[in-house]
Amino acid sequence: MKKLTKSVIWLYAIGQLGWPILSGLVASWLVYFYQPDQAEIGGGMPLFVPQGRVIFGVLTIIGLIGALGRLFDAVTDPLVGNLSDNCRSPLGRRVPFLRYSAVPFGLCTVLIFCAPVNGISAVNTAWLFVFVLLYYFLLTCYYTPYTSLIAELAKSQEEKLALSTSISLTFIVGTAISYLAPSVWSAFVSCGMSRVPAMRVTFAIFSALAVCFMLVPGLFLKEKDYCQEAASEKTPMFASLAKTFSNKDFRIFVGQDVIYWFALTMFQTGLPFFVTALLALPETYASTMFIGLTAVSLLFYFPVNLLAKKFGKKKVVLAAFLFFAADFLFTGLCGKSLAIPQLAQAALIVLAGAFPMAAFGILPQAMVADVAQAEEAATGQNRSGMFFAARTFAFKLGQSAAMLAFTSLATISRSSGMGYRIVAWTASACCALGAAILLFYNEKRVMFCLAADK
């Protein structure tokens, strides 16, 4: 096996610059596009699907579609993980998935926002449902094999942290790029283009850029030069999944991960609304806040790595949970009623979220790789694809629940913004719960297994 160099690490990391752009477009702007607030509707934003809690008086159309899409995606995660583990392509086990899923993934992202009927229509609802399902399935086809490479490329804790840090950096930069969308479509609108076509052109430009990034590791990473050849025996999907979830520490990790992604998705989806409805700032400030959060979080990358090496990954993630809990609690209190200027409130949200953003960007993926490698040391079986697929399955369950919860809670007293406050406070409570679950994760046992395998 060849030595993992910095150039190879960054060749790999560029792929994580791409898919977060697509993920960020859907996570941040899907609800904003199909369930606009009163200000946007008054400003001429058309409606494409029925609004309000029209399903059993509890769920919204966009919330149900988004949740079903993530659930479908979550169910297919073990399938893709097992297919990747058992792949025998000359290109390797993971690279073929990266190469052939990128283009359709980008295309489906654009088509999500291209409802064919200019007005509320069942056709639009069906269109949205189909392409949301395809979008999430293709996300799995790229993301699960991609993250599985962490455990296989890295041969030491230092390499593991280097890989996790580099893809965390490209992840937040990619997500930050997606938050630039309002500035781009606003520029098109100022040139005379209508709002909806301007948004669609913007999403197409961003998606094309994302596909280019995603293809870099798919086309240029020579997987077999750095990853050990898989064993010849193939493991059935359900048997592999059962073995994966039989690992107690992995189950605990998954439990806190579901809670974390529920909270983060609630907050990320709500950020444009927090900006406009609570802080009473222009929508472009959502981009400013996230870019600011990205920039400040970069200052914590080196400290997070140092703290993880000194105190362990678990303790740093626990601290990050508590920071996020406080930040989301404060967000729910924001508004003109506070004796603090709205811009200062926005700055406080950014500053408080920077450290946990860095910690969660770097450490959880490295923790999954630790558990997968410890399991391999104990059993002799490399199932890193299934471990990362199971982790992806878990966080998508959290995202699905968040989509349902957000779109329903946000409709409470929309004129006063109380629903958005409840969203932020719910996210805060979930972060506290996630920290409580993580307390049961036995990091010492995992690291002992890794050390014994040296």
Side-chain angles (χ1 to χ4, degrees):
M1 295 293 102
K2 291 184 178 179
K3 182 177 176 58
L4 189 64
T5 63
K6 289 184 178 179
S7 61
V8 175
I9 289 175
W10 286 106
L11 180 69
Y12 170 70
I14 289 174
Q16 186 113 323
L17 186 58
W19 74 260
I21 297 176
L22 303 181
S23 178
L25 291 178
V26 172
S28 301
W29 308 115
L30 177 65
V31 176
Y32 197 73
F33 188 87
Y34 283 104
Q35 190 177 300
D37 60 21
Q38 294 300 316
E40 293 303 312
I41 295 173
M45 182 69 182
L47 301 176
F48 297 98
V49 298
Q51 303 293 294
R53 298 189 295 270
V54 297
I55 302 173
F56 309 122
V58 177
L59 304 177
T60 65
I61 290 289
I62 188 64
L64 181 61
I65 290 176
L68 288 176
R70 291 182 187 273
L71 283 173
F72 170 76
D73 178 28
V75 170
T76 60
D77 280 326
L79 172 63
V80 173
N82 195 60
L83 287 173
S84 180
D85 279 344
N86 293 323
C87 179
R88 297 295 180 264
S89 168
L91 297 173
R93 296 196 291 173
R94 319 301 181 187
V95 162
F97 289 84
L98 309 188
R99 180 174 295 188
Y100 298 118
S101 63
V103 173
F105 183 20
L107 180 61
C108 278
T109 303
V110 178
L111 292 175
I112 282 176
F113 297 96
C114 296
V117 179
N118 189 26
I120 295 176
S121 169
V123 174
N124 290 340
T125 302
W127 175 280
L128 184 60
F129 178 69
V130 169
F131 283 105
V132 164
L133 290 186
L134 287 173
Y135 163 87
Y136 282 117
F137 174 68
L138 290 165
L139 170 59
T140 293
C141 288
Y142 191 91
Y143 177 82
T144 295
Y146 180 86
T147 52
S148 300
L149 282 168
I150 297 173
E152 297 173 355
L153 291 172
K155 304 301 187 295
S156 66
Q157 285 296 312
E158 288 73 19
E159 289 182 345
K160 200 178 301 175
L161 281 174
L163 279 170
S164 296
T165 300
S166 63
I167 65 174
S168 172
L169 174 61
T170 51
F171 173 84
I172 62 174
V173 171
T175 308
I177 290 173
S178 73
Y179 266 85
L180 291 172
S183 300
V184 176
W185 78 57
S186 295
F188 285 128
V189 170
S190 66
C191 293
M193 188 178 292
S194 298
R195 182 178 177 83
V196 171
M199 295 177 78
R200 288 170 174 166
V201 170
T202 299
F203 295 146
I205 293 171
F206 280 42
S207 296
L209 179 65
V211 168
C212 292
F213 290 137
M214 287 191 294
L215 285 173
V216 169
L219 293 175
F220 302 110
L221 179 63
K222 296 181 179 179
E223 179 183 336
K224 290 195 172 183
D225 286 351
Y226 303 95
C227 302
Q228 187 173 354
E229 190 75 27
S232 59
E233 181 182 356
K234 294 187 177 182
T235 305
M237 182 186 75
F238 289 108
S240 180
L241 186 62
K243 289 179 181 178
T244 299
F245 274 104
S246 68
N247 187 300
K248 180 180 178 181
D249 292 303
F250 183 68
R251 292 198 305 271
I252 294 170
F253 175 88
V254 163
Q256 62 84 35
D257 209 37
V258 170
I259 299 298
Y260 163 70
W261 282 102
F262 177 87
L264 183 66
T265 302
M266 291 268 280
F267 187 81
Q268 184 181 29
T269 306
L271 184 57
F273 300 100
F274 300 151
V275 168
T276 57
L278 302 186
L279 295 172
L281 296 171
E283 65 179 12
T284 53
Y285 273 81
S287 302
T288 303
M289 288 180 66
F290 195 86
I291 292 171
L293 181 59
T294 300
V296 179
S297 70
L298 296 179
L299 300 177
F300 288 95
Y301 268 55
F302 183 65
V304 163
N305 275 278
L306 288 181
L307 291 170
K309 290 176 182 177
K310 183 173 183 179
F311 299 106
K313 304 178 188 73
K314 174 182 172 179
K315 290 182 179 179
V316 180
V317 174
L318 282 171
F321 262 128
L322 298 180
F323 268 85
F324 260 152
D327 193 24
F328 297 165
L329 178 64
F330 174 75
T331 300
L333 298 171
C334 283
K336 294 181 179 179
S337 60
L338 289 184
I340 306 173
Q342 281 101 307
L343 286 176
Q345 294 177 40
L348 287 173
I349 292 172
V350 168
L351 293 174
F355 162 70
M357 178 69 76
F360 278 109
I362 297 170
L363 300 180
Q365 295 175 108
M367 292 170 73
V368 178
D370 286 342
V371 175
Q373 289 179 327
E375 180 79 2
E376 182 180 3
T379 66
Q381 295 180 330
N382 184 333
R383 296 195 312 278
S384 59
M386 187 57 76
F387 271 100
F388 279 93
R391 189 258 172 142
T392 307
F393 170 83
F395 82 63
K396 286 171 186 173
L397 287 181
Q399 291 176 324
S400 300
M403 184 64 73
L404 285 174
F406 176 84
T407 53
S408 297
L409 293 175
T411 61
I412 300 173
S413 301
R414 293 180 72 177
S415 59
S416 67
M418 179 53 68
Y420 301 130
R421 298 186 190 280
I422 294 173
V423 165
W425 292 333
T426 302
S428 175
C430 286
C431 286
L433 177 60
I437 294 173
L438 186 60
L439 288 172
F440 295 95
Y441 175 75
N442 194 333
E443 187 173 44
K444 289 183 179 179
R445 177 168 55 204
V446 173
M447 301 311 292
F448 177 79
C449 290
L450 289 177
D453 189 48
K454 298 299 183 183

